[in-house]
Structures are given as C-alpha cells and as structure tokens.
Amino acid sequence: EKNGFDHFMLKEIYEQPSAITDTYRGRLLVDDGIIRMAGVDDNLERFLNAKRIVIVACGTSWHAGLVAEYIFEDLARIPVEVEYASEFRYRNPIINSDDVVIAISQSGETADTMAAIKLAKEKGAFVFGVCNVVGSSISRETNAGAYTHAGPEIGVASTKAFTTQITVLTLIALKLAKAKGSISNTDFHMHLRELETIPGKIEIALNSNEHIKKIAFKYKDVRNCLYLGRGFNFPVALEGALKLKEISYIHAEGYPAAEMKHGPIALIDEEMPVVVIATRKGHYEKVVSNIQEIKSRQGKIIGIVTEGDTSVRDLADFVIEVPDTIEALTPLVTTIPLQLLSYHIAVMLGKNVDQPRNLAKSVTVE
Ligand code: M6R
C-alpha cells in the first residue's frame, strides 16, 4: 500500500508530479492553447458576471485558497476574499446572488465547509467545489465543481491535495483571464507551457531529499520555528508552519516576511530557526533584506531559493534550491521542501507521522 515508502505522507509527497499530471489530464491542452473544464465552461457566464469570488475552506485547503486569491486577482482581475469556513458560517456574511463561492476540501466531508456552502446557497450564491474525493458530500452539495484527481490521500497531513488544489485553481484563473481578456495571448500561452513543466520541476525539488534530511537533523530539537514568505509564497509559509506543527508538535508560525518588523522579530535569537522562502521572482531584494535583519539578530536561516542563487546562500545557514518558474507558479515548487523538512523532523522525533495525535483526516464535527 505504501509502495515501498515508510509512511503514506512520504509516498504522497513523492506522488505530486504524477498527481498534478492527473489534475491536468484532459484539461490542460497546451498544443491547442486551451484549458478545458466542464464545470467552468458550463457556468462561464456566472463566473464572468461575478463581482467577486469568495473562497471558503479550512486548514491546508484554506491555504490553497489564499494562494488562489493572489492568482485570481493577478491573472483574472476578479476581487477575491478568502474565509475560514468556520468563521464564515457564524458571522452573518454579506453574500449576493451574483457572488461565486468556491469551496475547497480534500475530503469533501469537512463539517464547517459544508455549513458555509449551505449558507451561501441559501443566500442565492453559485457554489463551486474543488474536492478530491469523488462523490463526497461537498461535491454533491455544490452547484458545480472540479475534482483535483490527486488520488487517495491517507496521511493526515495534507500534501498532494494542496498542490493539486492550487493546480485546479490556477487552471480556473487562467481560463477566466482568457475569457475576460485580462491576459494577453502571449502570456496565456506562456503560462500553459510553464504549467506543463511543473511536474518535472517538482521531481527536481524532490531530489533535495537527502540534503533536507541533514537540515532536519540539525533543527529537530528546537521548540519554535518561524516561516516567512511574501506575495504568492506568503500562504506557503503558513502551510509550512502548519505541516511542522501537526506532525512534529513543534510550535511554528508563518508570517508575511514584511510583517516581521511589526512583532515577530522580537522572538529572534540564536535559538530560533527561520525558514524563508526567497525565490528570485517575487520581492527578492526585500526578502534578502529581511534575511539580513534575522542574521544580525543571530537567528538561524534556512532559505528556500532559486537554483544558482548566491546572495541568500552567503547569508543563510542552509539553502534548499528549487527550479525557477514564473512567479504565480512558485508555490507549487517551494511547498515541496517544506513538506519534506517537517516529515523528516517528525520521523526523527519518533512521532506518528501519518496519524498525529488529536487529529483526524476529515473533521466531520464542528
Ligand atoms: O478535507 P479538507 O480539505 O476539507 O480538510 C481541511 C483541513 O481539516 C485539513 O486541510 C487539515 O488542516 C490538514 N490536516 C492539514 O494538513
């Protein structure tokens, strides 16, 4: 069942190139220059007439929603709000009949997300689901949807569900951008070609596994860890922190890199490892200066950098390289080393990686 891997989580991390290829199948038609998604095509007018998109989800799926917010607003120029489903359902939200609500859920069984969907439907919104489990409750309750086709995810810590959710949402954003004319033809085709290279780039990112193991060994006994990222990679920082918390029980927090000076910088001393996503595209110089601030306070720096980077390497205690890609797609590669880092730390600490304490794979209670 685990295909030779020690844990489902590791198997699922390594499945990401093929899972994303499955997400693309029949949808990403690079040679024809089209993205085909029946759930979007059949409801194109609803999407194009939407004044805004509201995304509801929990946990890792909520992080995928945050990445999607950046992608939708950047490419399709549609305002997006991302809400924790649990908050949305209890705060009398303003939802209009011309809003599109996207609910993201790997299991399709999360009680809070289901309740948010029901509320949005009562208010007349069109609800689109992004689920992994075919025939799940949420996939049946939504008006339309697109499956991630990641295959079964057994590990409680979500990995391939996250990257395939981002993949589906990117396809939708590009499709809408094309239909709206908010992206040029050249840019659209460039994005399609680049999407096609992502599974191969994730393979390359996975090749850092042994190097990441060494970094994990070095930091496995810390009590706290900070994760920083900016722009498209800010939600990746949140996701990296969640992965570490869930399976290793180390306290971790994710922050937008520039927020550090508004509080968290006070935590930094020689005991504090800081994982910084500092890829070349996306506010690189600003992130490098954040790294300098951490270094001058003796913080330990683990940089997630673009292949061939030298500036961060000079400052950091460790760097982990990922292949270059266009900025909007960087989360798909920068996520990989963070998954591996938390996996190895948890294994070294002897934790139950696939079934961490107090957690269930699908949270069907409030
Ligand atoms: O099945 P869902 O995507 O609706 O689940 C949402 C969260 O419960 C889930 O992502 C949780 O945060 C994971 N354990 C994260 O790894």
Side-chain angles (χ1 to χ4, degrees):
E1 268 288 341
K2 291 184 202 141
N3 239 340
F5 288 95
D6 289 346
H7 299 94
F8 283 108
M9 182 182 176
L10 190 62
K11 169 178 174 267
E12 288 157 8
I13 291 172
Y14 272 85
E15 274 171 353
Q16 289 174 106
S18 66
I20 290 176
T21 306
D22 290 342
T23 308
Y24 287 158
R25 188 156 299 122
R27 291 170 167 164
L28 176 65
L29 309 173
V30 181
D31 294 337
D32 303 324
I34 50 173
I35 293 170
R36 191 184 287 153
M37 295 177 97
V40 181
D41 286 315
D42 296 348
N43 300 285
L44 199 57
E45 288 308 308
R46 295 249 18 180
F47 275 100
L48 295 179
N49 292 331
K51 290 200 185 58
R52 61 171 190 160
I53 293 175
V54 178
I55 298 180
V56 293
C58 305
T60 289
S61 297
W62 182 75
H63 295 153
L66 287 180
V67 175
E69 174 180 20
Y70 283 80
I71 297 177
F72 270 93
E73 293 199 348
D74 185 42
L75 298 174
R77 308 303 296 154
I78 304 173
V80 176
E81 283 170 40
V82 190
E83 288 242 25
Y84 282 118
S86 55
E87 287 298 312
F88 180 89
R89 63 183 287 197
Y90 285 117
R91 68 169 186 85
N92 192 16
I94 300 167
I95 290 289
N96 302 309
S97 53
D98 54 3
D99 285 334
V100 168
V101 172
I102 301 182
I104 311 173
S105 175
Q106 187 286 130
S107 62
E109 303 298 340
T110 301
D112 283 326
T113 310
M114 183 55 122
I117 293 167
K118 290 193 170 143
L119 182 63
K121 277 175 74 181
E122 269 167 33
K123 293 185 181 270
F126 171 74
V127 185
F128 188 93
V130 175
C131 295
N132 190 41
V133 177
V134 175
S136 54
S137 307
I138 289 177
S139 69
R140 284 183 279 119
E141 185 69 28
T142 41
N143 299 109
Y147 286 114
T148 44
H149 295 305
E153 191 183 65
I154 311 291
V156 165
S158 189
T159 53
K160 61 177 179 171
F162 179 65
T163 44
T164 54
Q165 285 163 345
I166 295 174
T167 303
V168 163
L169 293 158
T170 305
L171 292 174
I172 299 172
L174 277 167
K175 202 171 161 51
L176 298 181
K178 180 80 183 348
K180 280 187 67 181
S182 58
I183 191 169
S184 71
N185 266 336
T186 326
D187 246 20
F188 179 74
H189 289 283
M190 189 268 286
H191 275 80
L192 299 200
R193 282 193 303 275
E194 192 60 30
L195 274 169
E196 203 179 26
T197 69
I198 291 296
K201 290 183 176 177
I202 294 180
E203 291 286 0
I204 296 170
L206 289 166
N207 289 338
S208 295
N209 188 43
E210 287 304 315
H211 173 57
I212 294 171
K213 232 187 214 173
K214 289 187 196 119
I215 303 173
F217 186 74
K218 178 94 185 162
Y219 295 110
K220 65 179 177 21
D221 298 313
V222 299
R223 289 315 307 145
N224 299 288
C225 188
L226 267 181
Y227 286 75
L228 304 178
R230 261 186 111 119
F232 295 91
N233 283 298
F234 153 54
V236 176
L238 298 183
E239 174 60 8
L242 176 62
K243 283 295 83 97
L244 189 67
K245 278 184 263 214
E246 285 193 279
I247 60 169
S248 70
Y249 319 145
I250 294 171
H251 170 237
E253 287 197 63
Y255 266 99
E259 271 293 303
M260 211 183 45
K261 58 183 174 295
H262 299 288
I265 198 164
L267 292 166
I268 295 183
D269 61 15
E270 65 288 347
E271 308 267 285
M272 179 68 97
V274 188
V275 179
V276 191
I277 303 156
T279 44
R280 207 171 296 130
K281 307 247 171 62
H283 321 286
Y284 179 69
E285 283 78 21
K286 296 217 158 94
V287 176
V288 171
S289 70
N290 293 139
I291 292 176
Q292 270 151 348
E293 287 155 15
I294 302 164
K295 194 169 175 70
S296 62
R297 288 162 183 83
Q298 279 81 51
K300 300 286 175 280
I301 297 148
I302 303 158
I304 311 298
V305 301
T306 309
E307 273 170 349
D309 176 279
T310 51
S311 311
V312 176
R313 188 178 287 271
D314 290 344
L315 297 165
D317 295 85
F318 292 96
V319 294
I320 306 169
E321 291 192 338
V322 292
D324 195 17
T325 181
I326 50 179
E327 192 185 350
L329 302 183
T330 47
L332 294 169
V333 291
T334 52
T335 298
I336 309 301
L338 304 190
Q339 294 170 341
L340 287 170
L341 184 64
S342 49
Y343 170 77
H344 289 301
I345 290 179
V347 170
M348 286 170 192
L349 294 176
K351 306 298 184 208
N352 186 343
V353 173
D354 284 335
Q355 280 177 300
R357 69 184 183 200
N358 309 339
L359 290 169
K361 183 62 186 162
S362 51
V363 184
T364 52
V365 293
E366 269 198 58

